[in-house]
Amino acid sequence: AQRVTQPEKLLSVFKGAPVELKCNYSYSGSPELFWYVQYSRQRLQLLLRHISRESIKGFTADLNKGETSFHLKKPFAQEEDSAMYYCALRGQGAQKLVFGQGTRLTINP
Amino acid sequence: GAVVSQHPSRVICKSGTSVKIECRSLDFQATTMFWYRQFPKQSLMLMATSNEGSKATYEQGVEKDKFLINHASLTLSTLTVTSAHPEDSSFYICSASFGGTYEQYFGPGTRLTVT
């Protein structure tokens, strides 16, 4: 079964502090992993995907197959990073996404 | 580019009536559209996957006769909640994808309240 787990429903850090949003997955094959972000009153949008190996808005995420994790990190949080973050998985050859429960990140000034 | 719209953004209907929600891809042809449901403070739950010109594929536990999905064109999919009940009140979100990348572009969502 495909499953995505985000253990933290809420995460609060101070501006300038490092941020790590945790994501673990369960999938027997080689999945594609994504992070989506939803800012206040806006639609869900793609933040980054593991195959791109890029940094978006200072965020990075590395797929760790041994630990089945895809944690999202940023070294220095900014107030505009406050949002809801969802980790998602897509199985090999599949179209659909399986979402985690989401983590609400709040950056305090 | 890759903008998806939904209409209406909010709808209130009486119990027992049906309500239709539209999802449109504005600047691309969506070969596949997805319908999600999101309860307050919870994640998105996929209801069904709809490929243009084909019958929708529903997720386990989703009633096909209650949530009718039509994807008649490459830019429009509709979700009709039939005989709505208060427990159907939720936030319904569609997404659309095209080509082989399967990247999904999300609509802004529709808040349905059944009284």
Side-chain angles (χ1 to χ4, degrees):
Chain A
Q2 300 174 21
R3 181 176 294 176
V4 178
T5 304
Q6 293 177 249
E8 304 139 328
K9 280 192 173 180
L10 302 170
L11 182 62
S12 183
V13 302
F14 285 102
K15 176 183 174 181
V19 173
E20 182 179 50
L21 289 83
K22 290 184 167 47
C23 172
N24 288 89
Y25 67 90
S26 174
Y27 183 70
S28 55
S30 294
E32 282 187 79
L33 273 296
F34 305 83
W35 276 99
Y36 282 83
V37 61
Q38 187 170 28
Y39 299 104
S40 180
R41 301 186 197 284
Q42 294 187 29
R43 68 188 68 198
L44 201 64
Q45 56 186 285
L46 179 65
L47 180 61
L48 53 79
R49 65 183 84 190
H50 90 270
I51 59 173
S52 299
R53 291 184 160 272
E54 56 193 346
S55 174
I56 303 293
K57 299 184 179 183
F59 284 98
T60 59
D62 291 319
L63 179 60
N64 186 321
K65 292 187 177 181
E67 296 183 357
T68 59
S69 68
F70 188 57
H71 303 326
L72 183 67
K73 300 177 184 179
K74 184 169 182 175
F76 307 103
Q78 298 172 299
E79 288 185 64
E80 54 264 35
D81 295 329
S82 294
M84 193 74 181
Y85 291 81
Y86 293 96
C87 182
L89 174 153
R90 184 164 66 211
Q92 277 177 290
Q95 293 178 298
K96 68 179 186 181
L97 291 169
V98 175
F99 284 88
Q101 292 292 95
T103 298
R104 181 167 297 282
L105 175 65
T106 302
I107 307 301
N108 299 306
Chain B
V3 178
V4 176
S5 70
Q6 280 184 244
H7 177 79
S9 57
R10 290 177 177 269
V11 59
I12 300 173
C13 70
K14 291 187 175 181
S15 188
T17 62
S18 295
V19 61
K20 181 185 285 188
I21 302 169
E22 292 185 349
C23 176
R24 293 182 185 273
S25 56
L26 299 185
D27 51 2
F28 66 99
Q29 294 186 320
T31 49
T32 306
M33 287 184 168
F34 305 83
W35 285 96
Y36 296 85
R37 186 172 177 175
Q38 186 176 34
F39 290 103
K41 300 185 179 181
Q42 294 190 30
S43 188
L44 287 78
M45 298 297 296
L46 181 66
M47 299 174 67
T49 302
S50 170
N51 290 297
E52 186 265 339
S54 303
K55 287 186 179 180
T57 301
Y58 289 80
E59 293 299 300
Q60 193 171 13
V62 178
E63 298 177 60
K64 301 178 184 182
D65 295 332
K66 180 165 187 63
F67 298 100
L68 301 179
I69 291 172
N70 185 284
H71 190 172
S73 79
L74 284 170
T75 57
L76 173 65
S77 177
T78 59
L79 167 67
T80 301
V81 183
T82 62
S83 187
H85 288 95
E87 55 266 31
D88 299 324
S89 297
S90 192
F91 197 55
Y92 292 88
I93 302 172
C94 76
S95 70
S97 68
F98 62 92
T101 64
Y102 295 142
E103 178 166 346
Q104 294 186 28
Y105 299 92
F106 286 82
T110 297
R111 168 90 46 209
L112 169 63
T113 304
V114 184
T115 60

